């Protein structure tokens, strides 16, 4: 008799408890999917249709239920108290599992530079250099380069010894400056070359096809060359313009295999005739005359240029005495200039 | 590594840091959003943009001037803005007779438009229309999507992904449980999408888990899907690709049972079984042969049986 009464008592006690304390239980047909890394919950249950008036309250109760479930999941995570026993309760979130697209494409590894390739071949490894160097003159540890470097500021050099084999009248300071400029330019060129080596023509293709005409053309060209094999080439599209004639000098000009047989015959005979003739191929007299003519032409051109320069300088000099000379020079220069374009037009 | 590979070398450390922040990385920065007004944006649309800017601060930029562009026709100016301000999400609001109260929500991949979805605003209740206390700026919201349409319909699935991307905020390793104050609830019902924001009140309950009470807080929008411009499958797959370095390293030689038991494998060298150390039992001790013959002739060595 006592057993059922105890059960009754317990049941009644539970009921009273449930009434007093608000419950955290939520009933759902389908379980929700959670992604706690993103604080995300996905509810697959079809929502109950409601009229306009009750829609807001329906939505709110649905939201409340879903939020309750999500919070229950979050409270189940391993939590600890930050900053000791009195700090706020902090839960460790897992990695977000919902896959979202990236902002930018994956980073590509940089292709090795020319030096790096060589070093890898030879097995040369990088030696770590010390940050500071002992400066004997200042009796201090100074930087290797930069502000306050060991060996003094190179811009403040007031004495440069002329090296043994150099011209005594050469400006060593200017030479130093120009050498530095050359080094900087060479380094820049090599850096750009390394970058250019890494950038292949097909790599710059944009995923959505927003491409400049030139880039697309280049990519198409590369594709056409890559798909060619054993003399079989990709056919041109109906409206595509014909292939541009292959460029190349005298030596890259290839005749078709079975072309003009008569022309080939005549060419071969010409060749044989040249081989068998007793005359030397170089006509010495003709060559010498040609050279003399060229030299004369050069001398004449230089003379004209000098006169023109003098005329220009004459014009710039201030004032009177040389005025007439200047005018003459200027006139001659103007004449030459007029001749120049006319000459070009004729040719 | 690719930072120092660009044609124009940065001359200051600040410029270098600026460029390094914008280059592609293994773990990316939080996505920023640009909020743009179209050529003729009315009051509703402007208010919506302002409210969403308040939600997304500081990971959003609100453009104050009107920009006369049509995103669905020409994406050049959007891409230019995205490149300038390094933002990969955008929200473009406009209004005209054919498409009143129009919102175009979209995202970029590599500064080119990936997905764009046009939504119409049917009803809008602003932050300032609801007079109660708000949650602090920059709170990470809880996101809840209700309705089976979000899984069945392809466009709705992309919209769900877009909305998660837009509103999720920075990825954090841990969260203060008492600071979960804000929830964004999206319901797909009757061809419309209802977006509601509530402030979460944690009340005492019998057990450790608090009871949730919701208070209507922030902007609430009733949206209708109009046009879409979704990326092709392969482009979308390319954008989803994660670097291998980020994948969790699998511990070798450990396997798990469906019951939860974990098994480990140990690889041993070949053992000489004759030299194994076992329990010593005196009875099994091998006696020397002399002793055996002494004990009895009956004991004969074993004969092999022939079959």
């Amino acid at each position: 008799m006592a057993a059922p009464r105890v059960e009754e008592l317990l049941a009644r006690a539970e009921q009273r408890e449930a009434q007093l304390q608000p419950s955290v239980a939520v009933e759902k047909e389908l379980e929700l999917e959670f992604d706690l890394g993103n604080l995300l919950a996905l509810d697959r249950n079809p929502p109950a249709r409601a009229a306009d008036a009750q829609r807001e309250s329906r939505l709110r109760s649905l939201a409340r239920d879903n939020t309750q479930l999500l919070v229950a999941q979050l409270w189940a995570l391993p939590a600890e108290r930050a900053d000791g026993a009195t700090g706020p309760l902090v839960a460790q979130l897992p990695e977000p599992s919902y896959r979202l697209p990236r902002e930018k494409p994956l980073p590509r590894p940089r292709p090795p530079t020319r030096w790096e390739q060589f070093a890898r071949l030879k097995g040369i490894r990088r030696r770590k250099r010390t940050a500071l160097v002992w400066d004997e003159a200042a009796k201090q540890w100074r930087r290797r380069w930069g502000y306050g470097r060991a060996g003094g500021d190179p811009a403040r050099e007031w004495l440069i010894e002329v090296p043994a084999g150099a011209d005594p009248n050469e400006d060593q300071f200017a030479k130093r400056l120009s050498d530095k400029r050359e080094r900087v330019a060479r380094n820049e060129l090599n850096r750009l070359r390394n970058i250019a080596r890494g950038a292949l023509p097909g790599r710059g293709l944009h995923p959505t096809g927003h491409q400049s005409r030139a880039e697309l053309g280049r990519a198409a060209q590369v594709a056409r060359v890559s798909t060619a094999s054993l003399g079989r080439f990709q056919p041109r599209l109906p409206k595509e313009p014909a292939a541009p004639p292959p460029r190349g000098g005298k030596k890259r000009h290839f005749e078709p295999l079975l072309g003009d047989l008569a022309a080939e015959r005549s060419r071969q005979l010409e060749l044989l005739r040249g081989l068998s003739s007793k005359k030397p191929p170089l006509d010495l007299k003709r060559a010498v005359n040609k050279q003399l003519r060229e030299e004369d032409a050069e001398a004449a051109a230089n003379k004209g240029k000098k006169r023109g320069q003098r005329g220009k300088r004459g014009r710039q000099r201030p004032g009177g005495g040389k005025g007439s000379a200047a005018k003459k020079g200027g006139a001659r220069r103007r004449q030459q200039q007029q001749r120049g374009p006319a000459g070009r037009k004729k040719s | 590594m690719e930072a120092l590979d660009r044609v124009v070398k940065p001359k200051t450390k600040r410029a270098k840091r600026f460029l390094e922040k914008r280059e592609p990385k293994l773990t990316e920065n939080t996505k920023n959003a640009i909020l743009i007004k179209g050529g003729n944006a009315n009051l509703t649309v402007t208010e919506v943009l302002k409210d969403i800017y308040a939600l997304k601060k500081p990971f959003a930029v609100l453009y104050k001037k009107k920009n006369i562009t049509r995103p669905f026709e020409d994406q050049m100016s959007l891409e230019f803005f995205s490149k300038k301000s390094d933002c990969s999400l955008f929200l473009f609001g406009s209004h005209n007779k054919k498409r009143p109260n129009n919102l175009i929500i979209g995202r970029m991949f590599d500064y080119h438009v990936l997905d764009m979805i046009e939504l119409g605003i049917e009803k809008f209740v602003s932050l300032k229309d609801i007079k109660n206390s708000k949650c602090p700026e920059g709170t990470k919201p809880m996101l809840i999507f209700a309705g089976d349409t979000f899984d069945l319909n392809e466009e709705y699935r992309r919209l769900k992904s877009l909305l998660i991307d837009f509103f999720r905020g920075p990825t954090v390793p841990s969260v203060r449980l008492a600071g979960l104050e804000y929830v964004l609830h999206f319901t797909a019902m009757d061809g419309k999408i209802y977006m509601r924001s509530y402030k979460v009140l944690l009340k005492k309950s019998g057990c450790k888990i608090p009871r949730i009470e919701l208070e209507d807080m922030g902007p609430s929008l009733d949206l209708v899907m109009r046009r879409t411009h979704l990326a092709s499958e392969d482009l979308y797959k390319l954008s989803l690709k994660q670097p291998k370095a980020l994948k969790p390293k699998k511990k070798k030689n450990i396997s798990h049972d469906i019951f939860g038991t974990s098994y480990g494998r140990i690889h041993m060298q070949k053992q000489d079984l004759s030299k194994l150390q076992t329990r010593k039992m005196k009875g099994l001790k091998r006696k020397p042969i002399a002793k055996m013959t002494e004990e009895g002739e009956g004991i004969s060595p074993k004969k092999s049986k022939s079959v």
Side-chain angles (χ1 to χ4, degrees):
Chain A
M1 275 316 280
R5 284 185 76 196
V6 167
E7 276 174 19
E8 267 179 45
L9 274 171
L10 280 172
R12 240 180 283 148
E14 238 184 81
Q15 255 187 355
R16 235 179 293 133
E17 274 258 344
Q19 277 174 359
L20 284 174
Q21 299 274 12
S23 77
V24 292
V26 174
E27 277 294 318
K28 282 275 178 185
E29 273 178 20
L30 272 171
E31 285 298 317
L32 303 197
E33 231 180 71
F34 297 101
D35 176 12
L36 297 173
N38 281 324
L39 298 181
L40 175 69
L42 304 169
D43 181 8
R44 293 220 162 82
N45 300 303
R49 306 269 164 107
D52 269 339
Q54 298 138 358
R55 192 184 290 140
E56 283 303 321
S57 55
R58 280 284 181 89
L59 284 175
R60 186 189 304 222
S61 61
L62 177 66
R64 195 221 76 82
D65 291 340
N66 287 336
T67 319
Q68 182 73 70
L69 289 167
L70 179 57
V71 163
Q73 287 286 318
L74 286 168
W75 246 256
L77 284 174
E80 58 179 25
R81 287 218 167 260
D83 308 333
T86 49
L89 194 63
V90 166
Q92 306 290 332
L93 290 176
E95 290 283 323
S97 65
Y98 192 86
R99 280 182 83 190
L100 288 165
R102 279 173 67 96
E103 206 179 14
K104 295 174 185 134
L106 291 172
R108 279 193 306 263
R110 185 180 54 142
T113 60
R114 217 164 121 86
W115 165 253
E116 281 174 359
Q117 285 170 358
F118 177 76
R120 201 184 303 158
L121 258 178
K122 291 281 185 177
I124 301 170
R125 265 183 296 170
R126 210 186 141 69
R127 260 182 301 171
K128 187 132 171 103
R129 294 175 143 190
T130 59
L132 303 171
V133 185
W134 177 250
D135 187 8
E136 199 48 57
K139 299 268 194 293
Q140 251 191 355
W141 285 98
R142 288 255 173 103
R143 286 179 205 199
R144 193 182 285 277
W145 51 267
Y147 178 74
R149 69 188 77 173
D153 189 0
R156 286 172 167 271
E157 283 284 331
W158 55 272
L159 177 77
I160 303 179
E161 281 182 20
V162 176
D167 179 18
N169 294 332
E170 195 184 8
D171 185 359
Q172 291 297 325
F173 293 97
K175 181 163 176 293
R176 189 174 275 195
L177 272 176
S178 66
D179 281 345
K180 178 159 179 160
R181 249 183 262 133
E182 271 177 30
R183 262 181 284 132
V184 167
R186 188 170 11 105
N187 279 328
E188 187 63 23
L189 178 70
N190 283 332
R191 185 180 75 94
L192 292 173
R193 259 205 230 139
N194 279 324
I195 295 171
R197 201 177 303 118
L200 299 163
R203 260 214 195 152
L205 279 177
H206 291 300
T208 52
H210 288 263
Q211 197 80 7
S212 81
R213 191 199 159 91
E215 283 177 50
L216 277 173
R218 214 176 313 133
Q221 181 75 17
V222 169
R224 204 175 293 124
V225 167
S226 336
T227 53
S229 80
L230 288 184
R232 289 184 63 204
F233 300 99
Q234 223 173 3
R236 291 231 155 215
L237 293 172
K239 288 214 180 131
E240 212 177 350
R247 288 187 302 144
K250 239 191 296 188
K251 298 199 175 169
R252 294 299 288 182
H253 179 65
F254 299 113
E255 301 283 348
L257 282 175
L258 293 174
D260 193 359
L261 287 174
E264 193 179 342
R265 190 157 174 265
S266 61
R267 219 183 318 127
Q268 301 283 18
L269 286 176
E270 210 38 67
L271 193 67
L272 279 173
R273 206 176 305 136
L275 284 173
S276 62
S277 78
K278 298 280 172 47
K279 259 197 337 196
L282 177 65
D283 191 355
L284 201 61
K285 216 165 52 166
R286 197 148 169 244
V288 167
N289 285 342
K290 194 169 177 189
Q291 180 70 16
L292 286 172
R293 237 183 298 133
E294 268 181 32
E295 280 177 3
D296 282 340
E298 222 176 285
N302 278 343
K303 238 199 241 172
K305 226 195 288 171
K306 261 197 216 132
R307 271 206 217 116
Q309 279 184 347
R310 228 188 294 136
K312 186 180 177 190
R313 264 193 236 119
R315 218 192 302 159
Q316 281 181 349
R317 229 176 284 150
K322 306 275 177 174
S324 54
K327 270 202 215 139
K328 251 200 269 170
R332 203 168 287 130
R333 213 171 122 260
R334 257 180 268 122
Q335 263 186 357
Q336 275 201 343
Q337 276 186 346
Q338 276 174 3
R339 234 189 293 138
R344 248 177 266 132
K345 264 198 212 145
K346 254 193 262 171
S347 64
Chain B
M1 274 195 283
E2 251 205 52
L4 309 168
D5 231 10
R6 55 183 65 85
V7 180
V8 176
K9 231 176 161 166
K11 287 198 166 61
T12 55
K13 282 250 164 47
R14 186 161 177 241
K16 188 172 157 197
R17 265 180 274 136
F18 175 85
L19 289 170
E20 272 179 3
K21 192 166 137 215
R22 296 201 169 192
E23 62 172 17
K25 292 181 229 164
L26 281 179
T27 35
E28 297 195 305
N29 308 333
T30 316
K31 290 193 184 180
N32 286 336
I34 16 172
L35 308 168
I36 319 174
K37 288 199 287 190
N40 42 5
N42 59 357
L43 190 66
T44 322
V45 157
T46 322
E47 291 285 309
V48 169
L49 288 174
K50 268 204 242 170
D51 279 357
I52 294 192
Y53 175 63
L55 288 187
K56 268 215 66 117
K57 267 201 239 188
F59 299 105
V61 184
L62 178 66
Y63 278 20
K64 295 199 175 64
K65 294 231 175 110
K66 292 192 179 178
N67 293 290
I68 306 174
T69 40
R70 297 205 178 95
F72 271 85
E73 271 98 55
D74 174 39
Q75 289 123 25
M76 287 271 106
S77 68
L78 277 178
E79 292 175 359
F80 173 74
F81 290 145
S82 136
K83 196 153 196 171
K84 262 293 172 151
S85 49
D86 190 31
C87 295
S88 52
L89 300 164
F90 67 88
L91 193 61
F92 181 88
S94 67
H95 172 82
N96 52 21
K97 207 154 158 211
K98 190 169 176 195
R99 287 176 237 274
N101 297 332
N102 210 21
L103 261 187
I104 302 178
I105 184 169
R107 65 183 151 201
M108 311 266 193
F109 178 67
D110 196 18
Y111 303 123
H112 294 283
V113 170
L114 184 66
D115 287 339
M116 266 198 303
I117 297 181
E118 193 176 53
L119 302 161
I121 307 169
E122 308 245 302
K123 196 178 83 150
F124 170 60
V125 180
S126 158
L127 268 171
K128 45 192 216 300
D129 290 341
I130 304 173
K131 308 227 176 345
N132 57 0
S133 64
K134 318 280 183 198
C135 70
E137 212 174 73
T139 323
K140 192 166 158 87
M142 292 190 275
L143 299 164
I144 304 180
F145 287 81
D148 47 351
T149 333
F150 276 125
D151 281 308
L152 302 174
N153 192 336
E154 173 63 37
E155 296 184 339
Y156 274 75
R157 236 181 298 160
R158 286 285 181 94
L159 177 65
K160 178 175 76 174
S161 163
L162 241 177
L163 290 168
I164 295 173
D165 220 351
F166 207 89
F167 288 111
R168 74 165 170 162
T171 312
V172 287
S174 56
V175 73
R176 191 176 74 112
L177 289 173
L180 294 167
E181 297 178 352
Y182 188 43
V183 64
L184 281 169
H185 192 267
F186 297 89
T187 321
M189 203 162 72
D190 299 334
K192 290 204 194 148
I193 301 151
Y194 299 97
M195 171 181 146
R196 299 282 180 271
S197 346
Y198 301 105
K199 187 171 154 84
V200 174
L201 305 164
L202 307 162
K203 296 266 159 69
K204 257 197 174 48
S205 80
C207 51
K208 212 165 57 146
I209 304 168
R211 177 165 166 91
I212 299 290
E213 291 294 331
L214 294 180
E215 200 185 311
D216 219 351
M217 178 188 104
S220 70
L221 288 164
D222 289 359
L223 303 164
V224 123
M225 201 187 287
R226 288 180 185 158
R227 292 183 288 179
T228 59
H229 171 98
L230 304 176
S232 58
E233 271 305 311
D234 40 319
L235 180 59
Y236 194 66
K237 253 194 223 154
L238 180 70
S239 66
L240 283 175
K241 234 181 182 173
Q242 298 294 334
K244 264 203 200 140
L246 281 186
K247 277 200 210 143
K249 287 236 176 279
K250 241 186 108 173
K251 268 196 132 172
K252 283 170 86 171
N253 298 323
I254 295 181
S255 59
H256 295 274
D257 211 354
I258 45 165
F259 298 111
T261 327
S262 54
Y263 297 92
R265 269 185 121 162
I266 310 172
H267 297 268
M268 298 278 300
Q269 291 154 343
K270 201 170 166 86
Q271 291 175 307
D272 188 5
L273 292 168
S274 60
K275 293 208 173 52
L276 260 183
Q277 180 92 311
T278 53
R279 271 223 215 135
K280 292 184 173 71
M281 292 185 189
K282 219 164 173 189
L284 301 173
K285 222 180 188 178
R286 188 176 285 181
K287 298 188 187 102
I289 299 173
K291 273 201 180 161
M292 270 169 63
T293 47
E294 267 180 36
E295 278 183 32
E297 289 125 25
I299 303 167
S300 60
K302 272 194 184 163
K303 284 198 193 124
S304 61
K305 282 196 186 158
S306 60
V307 180

